[in-house]
Amino acid sequence: MAATTSDELPGLDDAIERVLDCGTEYILLTGGGEHAPEVVNRLIGQEGTLRTDVWPRLGGRFLGAGTTLAAAAAAALAHGMALPEAVREAQEFTQQALRHAYRAGMGRALPDRFFWARGKSGNDGEDDE
């Protein structure tokens, strides 16, 4: 079997088109794995890009950012939000959860999905006075 060169691999736009052609209605293409100073996320549908959101890249490495984003989007949709707004709300929630992330050990930081229920001072559960 011959080795595959990068010239033979489909480009990103080709890959997106192939996935949409298979019946997928929407793709949320996230830029979390990039090494740029900003994270650029695109919501794409059959009609093209529906929204593009740019977030500052937070320092550190995280475990669970993608699952937090997916769960938050599903919750927003379950509450009746339109897809573009649900995606925007989910990204905001995920960004905040990552800002409040904590390291439980020596590994990656875990998103604090309950940041909204804690006081401003941290993870102690007490409200600031």
Side-chain angles (χ1 to χ4, degrees):
M1 179 175 211
T4 303
T5 66
S6 62
D7 292 339
E8 296 173 14
L9 296 175
L12 181 59
D13 291 337
D14 244 2
I16 290 170
E17 186 176 335
R18 287 181 186 189
V19 171
L20 291 172
D21 285 347
C22 288
T24 300
E25 289 185 64
Y26 302 100
I27 298 169
L28 179 57
L29 186 63
T30 62
E34 304 288 323
H35 296 291
E38 295 176 321
V39 175
V40 179
N41 298 334
R42 291 190 305 152
L43 178 62
I44 302 163
Q46 294 290 338
E47 56 279 354
T49 299
L50 300 174
R51 70 173 305 125
T52 300
D53 296 293
V54 180
W55 300 91
R57 183 171 303 282
L58 301 175
R61 296 178 57 199
F62 303 96
L63 179 65
T67 54
T68 300
L69 178 59
L77 288 169
H79 279 283
M81 292 179 117
L83 183 66
E85 290 73 30
V87 166
R88 173 70 171 92
E89 185 73 20
Q91 290 177 89
E92 177 65 37
F93 178 85
T94 301
Q95 184 78 354
Q96 290 298 321
L98 295 177
R99 282 189 182 128
H100 293 87
Y102 60 94
R103 288 185 61 204
M106 296 300 293
R108 295 179 180 189
L110 304 173
D112 181 359
R113 296 175 184 117
F114 293 101
F115 68 88
W116 53 271
R118 303 186 202 291
K120 294 179 185 177
S121 63
N123 295 335
D124 59 6
E126 305 270 335
D127 286 332
D128 288 342
E129 297 187 36

